[in-house]
Amino acid sequence: MDVERQIREAAAKEVMPRWRRLGEHDVHVKTGPHDLVTDADREAELFLTKELGALLPGSVVVGEEAVHADPSSYEAIQGDTPVWIVDPVDGTRQFVRGETGFCTLVALARRGVVHASWTFAPAREQFATAVRGRGARLDGEPLRAGSPDPGRDLRVATSHPDYTTDAEKRALLGLWTDGVAPRPCGSAGLEYLAVARGESDAVAFSWEAAWDHAAGLLLVEEAGGTHLTRAGLPFTVRGGNTLPFTAARDEATARKVVELLSAAV
């Protein structure tokens, strides 16, 4: 299946021609001032929905914008049918501001297990892929998350304060302690890539939307990292996770982050 070609084509046709060229009529508010959608999001998702469905007959697509229009479509993740999980423009705020920190995320899952993922940052010309049991790659080169350097503060990207409840803020405050250097996250997909590359040590997120996490979680796993919820269990795209959760470069870092997230709850 030539998934990469379709993702690159979606970016070339629908995303990059609109980058740094958006007018006011091209940007729309969904649930609030921090939840934006652009014509690039909508058109890229429509393109990918058509093309990915054709690549794997019998599969379904669960895309962020389609779920916003029809929340019941999210339930396909629970079934036995192969599901393409799509975020056409992850990091819409960065895209709207004309920054490079956005990407297209695609994952292929079945029965709650993510089997393959694709992360494309077109403005940075970076393409990362992961296949369960076969490793992760960035622009064709193997990714290795490694482990944090001893004695250095853990670099952790966290849910942005604009998107957290008071309870989630209390949990995340556990990371504001000696030995940890937390910061608000940008594009979730690119934060996962940073962990898989060993540039960041962990993420700590407080929401479950599968399109934000499915691709990146497999990327981190296949680069040698791991992920845990606050209950000490792996995150599942089917939902029902105890939040917040983390994805980290190694097991020890993941357990440390979960311990800190639980201390303040």
Side-chain angles (χ1 to χ4, degrees), residues 60-90:
V60 297
V61 176
V62 171
E64 178 176 7
E65 306 315 325
V67 171
H68 178 70
D70 177 11
S72 69
S73 64
Y74 195 76
E75 296 171 7
I77 292 175
Q78 304 292 337
D80 293 336
T81 301
V83 179
W84 299 99
I85 302 172
V86 175
D87 191 340
V89 181
D90 179 59

Side-chain angles (χ1 to χ4, degrees), residues 55-209:
L55 285 177
L56 184 59
S59 63
V60 297
V61 176
V62 171
E64 178 176 7
E65 306 315 325
V67 171
H68 178 70
D70 177 11
S72 69
S73 64
Y74 195 76
E75 296 171 7
I77 292 175
Q78 304 292 337
D80 293 336
T81 301
V83 179
W84 299 99
I85 302 172
V86 175
D87 191 340
V89 181
D90 179 59
T92 299
R93 291 202 303 179
Q94 288 81 3
F95 180 76
V96 169
R97 292 197 294 256
E99 299 168 1
T100 65
F102 62 92
C103 59
T104 296
L105 301 174
V106 175
L108 180 60
R110 188 180 184 195
R111 296 174 181 166
V113 177
V114 181
H115 293 282
S117 78
W118 298 261
T119 300
F120 182 37
R124 298 180 178 182
E125 299 184 348
Q126 295 176 321
F127 205 116
T129 59
V131 178
R132 184 164 297 281
R134 294 173 55 186
R137 293 181 175 274
L138 175 62
D139 300 324
E141 296 298 319
L143 281 172
R144 296 284 185 270
S147 295
D149 296 330
R152 178 179 50 72
D153 286 355
L154 292 177
R155 299 164 297 187
V156 183
T158 74
S159 294
H160 197 284
D162 290 344
Y163 297 94
T164 53
T165 65
D166 288 344
E168 291 164 353
K169 284 184 175 70
R170 285 195 297 272
L172 292 167
L173 278 174
L175 299 175
W176 267 256
T177 188
D178 292 343
V180 183
R183 61 171 176 79
C185 73
S187 152
L190 294 183
E191 297 292 3
Y192 282 117
L193 177 57
V195 174
R197 299 180 75 183
E199 294 178 343
S200 184
D201 299 315
V203 296
F205 292 152
S206 57
W207 76 97
E208 289 188 296

Side-chain angles (χ1 to χ4, degrees), residues 74 77-78 208 235-241:
Y74 195 76
I77 292 175
Q78 304 292 337
E208 289 188 296
F235 182 94
T236 172
V237 295
R238 281 182 159 175
N241 299 284

